[in-house]
Every structure is written in C-alpha cells, then in structure tokens.
Amino acid sequence: MFYKKLLSYTVPSRHNAYRPHLLRKQWLLFFLTVTLTAEAVLVLNVLSHESARNYLAAVLPLEVVALTNAERANNHIASLAPNSFLSNAAQAKAEDMATLGYFSHRGPDGKEPWAWIREAGYLYASAGENLAVRFNESASVVHAWMASPGHRANIVKAGYTEIGVGVADGIYQGAPATFVVQYFARPQGTPAPLPPSVVLGPESGSDTQLLAAVGTQQVSDSLIRSVARLGTEPSQSALYVLGGVAAVLIMLLGVTFFTQIQVQPVEMLAGGSVVAGIALSLIALNMTVLAPTPDLTQTASIFNSAGNSVLVGEEGATTLTEEI
C-alpha cells in the first residue's frame, strides 16, 4: 500500500493519469512556500547578525585573561594575576590605536609600548606586549597568538607574573575594527618565578583560580553569548533546504519526462521547472552575496628585558633598544 502511494506521488502512470502528485498545483505551491520561507529566514538571519555581533562576538578583557591563563596551565606554567595598572596601560594604548587608526607597537609619535606601562604607574623588571586587530571573539584572538611563535612566547613565558588587557573599537584602514592590547610584566623587586618544571599543572586546582579571576558575571555572560550564538550565526540550513527542493523537483521532472515521453503534462513540467529554477537562482545568489570575506586579522608581539626589546610581527623579528 505504501509502495503504491509512493509511486503515485513520484512516478507518472495510468493510476495517476501520468501526473505525479508531487508535481501537481498544491504540492508546487508547497515547494514554493518552503523555498521562499527558507530564503526569508536566511535574509533575516544575515540582517540581524550585524546588530547582534557586538554582543555575541565581543572581545572581553577578562575572557582573554582567562584563556591566556588556560594556555599557561596547559604548559604547566603559573597563572598570571590581573593587575589594574597594567589593565589601565593596555586600555590607554588600545584607545590610542583606535582613535588614531594605527596598529603598531610604536605610536605615530614614536611612543614605545613601555611608556604606556610607566605612565600607568607600573615599575617592571620585564614586560611584554601582544597586539591584535580585526578579531571579533576572545578565543580567536588567543588562538591566533598561540599559533604564532612570537606571541606564544609571551603567553607562556615563565618570567611574567601579572597581566592586563585593553580593548577598544575604532577605524583601521577605512573599516571598523576592534583593537586588543595585552601587557605582561613582572614588577621590580619581585623574585623570579619558579621554573616550569616545578610549577603545578591544571590538575592542582588552577581551573578554580581561573574562574575566580574571570568572575561569576563574566562566565555567565560568556555562556549566554555562546548559547545565543547558536541561533544567530549565519548557517547553511537555508541553502540545504533550497538545494533539497531543487533536487527533488529536478528528479521528479526527469522521471516524469522520460517515463512516458509520449504523454507530456506540459503545465506540470512548466510549473515544476519554474519552482526549481527559483530555488536554484536563490542558491546562486546566496553563494555570491554570502561568499566568505578574506581574513584581514593581524597580530604583533614584543617583549622587553634588561633594556632590549625584540619585535615579532608579520615580517619576522628585529631588535629595538629602549631608552630608560
């Protein structure tokens, strides 16, 4: 019984007057409705994505600190303590880059990164700076830093004990961008940290320390954004629906046309072709309009110890000298 009904819906025969039910008017209207609804959902999703992105895909300073400490824990290196002076220095540097539209360790006026730290009132024995621009998520920033030897060296350097992160929005190379500044340091007059070989790993309770550093509100906000992102990120679902409709109709049209070629239900073939054509046209349009943009994110790192600075950027490393 089921098999016969399936055939009547999909294969032309004398039992359905050589007109498969799925190509009849009511079913074509159903396929057209599904097609247009899927496209409408996709368009609304894309339009709402920009307004939601600032919240759902934000770079959060305390989240960057937590992720950085997680990387240190994975490498059996002690966690960094957030320091308000370093945070103020990082925020001031981030706002300066956002306001003036530059991305560099040295400002347009020649100001060195260490000047920001000293102006914030922090006296350091050693310090480091990581920069990032055009990233929209905390995790992607830290992941990019860890993928680069120079930036990773700052993150897992055992000689640092404190950290500060600043984030500011501005314009870079003619487009809106988020600037991220990460400062590492060990204050003057403090003993050098224990070597990594004797630092306890994550199983010793460092996860609890990380959560304490981030704070309950920050963790809650991060979880909310993660859940909300599931419903607001542009997805391929609508494209799959459009592709499914087009594939089903093309298959039905082919079967109907070739099964009884001497009996051609022209109006059904024309109607099915129109709906399939609409679905295929929308797929082509979406793939063109929603094509992924090139990755324009950038990072740069620098560290300082005993008066010598080593800059690690996109084009390798060069040695700079700090004037104290």
Side-chain angles (χ1 to χ4, degrees):
M1 184 67 179
F2 173 78
Y3 180 70
K4 288 184 178 180
K5 182 172 290 189
L6 178 63
L7 289 179
S8 68
Y9 272 81
T10 57
V11 179
S13 66
R14 60 184 179 84
H15 299 292
N16 56 22
Y18 301 102
R19 286 166 170 76
H21 294 307
L22 290 182
L23 285 180
R24 295 184 180 183
K25 183 177 180 180
Q26 62 270 30
W27 276 100
L28 290 180
L29 288 175
F30 169 76
F31 286 130
L32 181 61
T33 301
V34 170
T35 297
L36 297 179
T37 301
E39 181 65 16
V41 169
L42 179 60
V43 171
L44 290 175
N45 196 6
V46 172
L47 293 177
S48 65
H49 179 64
E50 284 300 316
S51 61
R53 187 179 65 176
N54 290 336
Y55 173 69
L56 298 175
V59 178
L60 305 177
L62 288 179
E63 199 169 44
V64 173
V65 171
L67 293 168
T68 297
N69 276 333
E71 295 293 347
R72 289 174 68 90
N74 290 336
N75 287 273
H76 305 285
I77 300 172
S79 297
L80 300 168
N83 181 279
S84 60
F85 293 98
L86 287 177
S87 297
N88 291 339
Q91 187 62 36
K93 171 68 178 290
E95 291 176 358
D96 190 63
M97 289 197 299
T99 301
L100 300 181
Y102 71 95
F103 179 70
S104 174
H105 295 292
R106 181 184 287 121
D109 57 355
K111 188 173 183 178
E112 299 284 357
W114 326 119
W116 296 98
I117 299 177
R118 290 195 296 269
E119 288 177 3
Y122 189 99
L123 300 178
Y124 63 88
S126 62
E129 178 185 76
N130 278 353
L131 302 178
V133 67
R134 294 195 181 106
F135 288 87
N136 293 320
E137 295 182 359
S138 305
S140 61
V141 173
V142 177
H143 177 75
W145 281 336
M146 288 299 294
S148 168
H151 308 82
R152 184 182 187 279
N154 267 340
I155 290 177
V156 300
K157 187 177 178 64
Y160 298 138
T161 59
E162 296 179 329
I163 187 174
V165 177
V167 177
D169 293 323
I171 302 296
Y172 181 58
Q173 295 181 345
T178 297
F179 296 81
V180 186
V181 178
Q182 184 181 47
Y183 277 135
F184 309 87
R186 176 169 64 88
Q188 290 182 4
T190 59
L194 295 173
S197 60
V198 297
V199 174
L200 297 178
E203 67 279 359
S204 66
S206 59
D207 289 345
T208 302
Q209 296 172 356
L210 288 176
L211 290 178
V214 175
T216 303
Q217 183 61 39
Q218 186 75 73
V219 174
S220 175
D221 183 65
S222 180
L223 289 175
I224 292 173
R225 291 189 302 109
S226 297
V227 173
R229 191 180 294 123
L230 295 176
T232 58
E233 282 291 334
S235 67
Q236 299 298 314
S237 301
L239 295 178
Y240 292 149
V241 172
L242 295 175
V245 170
V248 169
L249 288 176
I250 290 173
M251 179 189 68
L252 289 172
L253 291 170
V255 171
T256 301
F257 183 83
F258 289 107
T259 297
Q260 292 290 337
I261 199 168
Q262 71 277 13
V263 182
Q264 296 297 320
V266 179
E267 72 285 356
M268 297 183 69
L269 294 175
S273 299
V274 169
V275 177
I278 291 174
L280 290 173
S281 298
L282 290 176
I283 291 175
L285 176 64
N286 293 334
M287 293 182 68
T288 301
V289 175
L290 301 180
T293 56
D295 185 8
L296 300 176
T297 55
Q298 290 180 244
T299 59
S301 67
I302 188 173
F303 67 88
N304 174 279
S305 180
N308 292 321
S309 304
V310 177
L311 171 65
V312 183
E314 298 297 325
E315 299 179 357
T318 59
T319 300
L320 305 175
T321 301
E322 180 197 15
E323 296 180 2
I324 300 178

